[in-house]
Amino acid sequence: MTGATRTIKLLLVDDHGIVREGLRALLDDGEEFVIVGEAANGDEACEAVRRLQPDIVLMDLKMPGMAASDAIRVIRATSPAVKVIALTSYAEDGQVREIMAAGAAGYILKDVTKSDFVTALRTVAGGQTWLHPLAQRSLVEQLRNRQADPLALLTQRERSVLELIARGMSNRQIGDELHLTEGTVKGYVSTILAKLKLEDRTQAALFAVQRGLGRR
């Protein structure tokens, strides 16, 4: 590498202060990496991104309030130049796909070495994607299952919306149930119809009921 090293601005998002302190101690060297802010949940993260415009958001996935996938969608929509890396302890099949589909550029498990962590940050800052090996394996398994089960095409949030469609709820009612705006729900419905190759909500409801979704 020639010339001065680029400084990568980071925003830390985790509801545990001790985790944020640990990440700050690990990464805030004032040279290659600079922590420009912290947030304790998805709502705070979205606001901090608007104010601080970091290069990368390191986001925990298990936080109260706004779902991490929704926060990632908001960040990517309002600040498309900002990259988001999921930082979590789990690589559950549905979670990995949902987070990457929401627009995350990386998926790091908290058991990585510092060397791999730094490599992931550099990779994402350079415009590429970085996935922990377990997350890669999870996505491969999901791809293998897609043809066998059409529901595997849906993220967990999309599946939740489909279940509520099967119960006969309107977009507004679904939004109230899942704490989403009506416009966001409309977007999910359109995505569900496209993924499942269905024409309308009636077909979607029938599809869901036939597969046992929507039952109380």
Side-chain angles (χ1 to χ4, degrees):
M1 182 181 295
T2 60
T5 301
R6 174 194 172 192
T7 298
I8 300 172
K9 298 180 294 182
L10 305 174
L11 174 68
L12 309 180
V13 185
D14 196 294
D15 58 327
H16 294 101
I18 193 169
V19 174
R20 300 196 303 272
E21 289 178 15
L23 289 171
R24 183 179 285 276
L26 179 69
L27 297 171
D28 197 5
D29 58 15
E31 297 179 1
E32 184 174 8
F33 302 108
V34 175
I35 311 301
V36 296
E38 299 181 11
N41 56 55
D43 293 292
E44 290 182 8
C46 294
E47 175 58 29
V49 166
R50 283 191 288 269
R51 289 188 292 104
L52 302 171
Q53 290 297 300
D55 296 307
I56 295 175
V57 178
L58 280 171
M59 181 178 292
D60 182 43
L61 301 183
K62 304 292 186 181
M63 298 182 294
M66 180 188 292
S69 57
D70 291 333
I72 293 169
R73 287 188 179 89
V74 171
I75 290 170
R76 296 294 295 147
T78 58
S79 302
V82 177
K83 307 294 192 302
V84 181
I85 296 178
L87 180 60
T88 182
S89 301
Y90 310 98
E92 300 166 356
D93 291 351
Q95 178 174 275
V96 175
R97 183 163 49 83
E98 180 173 11
I99 292 302
M100 298 309 294
Y107 198 104
I108 302 176
L109 294 190
K110 292 179 179 178
D111 66 353
V112 295
T113 63
K114 180 178 180 180
S115 176
D116 284 344
F117 201 167
V118 170
T119 296
L121 293 173
R122 290 171 177 165
T123 299
V124 170
Q128 301 179 52
T129 299
W130 194 95
L131 293 174
H132 188 283
L134 289 179
Q136 293 181 33
R137 189 181 309 162
S138 173
L139 286 179
V140 169
E141 289 300 319
Q142 287 287 315
L143 288 172
R144 287 174 178 169
N145 292 334
R146 280 187 174 184
Q147 290 185 337
D149 179 13
L151 285 176
L153 292 167
L154 304 182
T155 66
Q156 186 58 49
R157 177 68 79 181
E158 289 163 356
R159 183 167 176 147
S160 296
V161 171
L162 180 60
E163 289 177 352
L164 297 180
I165 290 175
R167 294 184 191 174
M169 289 189 180
S170 65
N171 287 350
R172 178 171 296 179
Q173 290 171 324
I174 293 173
D176 290 342
E177 180 76 15
L178 300 179
H179 307 291
L180 301 171
T181 66
E182 190 172 352
T184 298
V185 174
K186 184 177 180 181
Y188 277 125
V189 173
S190 296
T191 300
I192 290 167
L193 295 179
K195 285 185 175 182
L196 299 180
K197 294 180 172 57
L198 300 174
E199 295 294 330
D200 52 36
R201 293 173 69 97
T202 300
Q203 287 189 7
L206 181 59
F207 174 93
V209 170
Q210 288 174 339
R211 286 159 179 79
L213 300 182
R215 295 174 181 171
R216 295 184 179 275

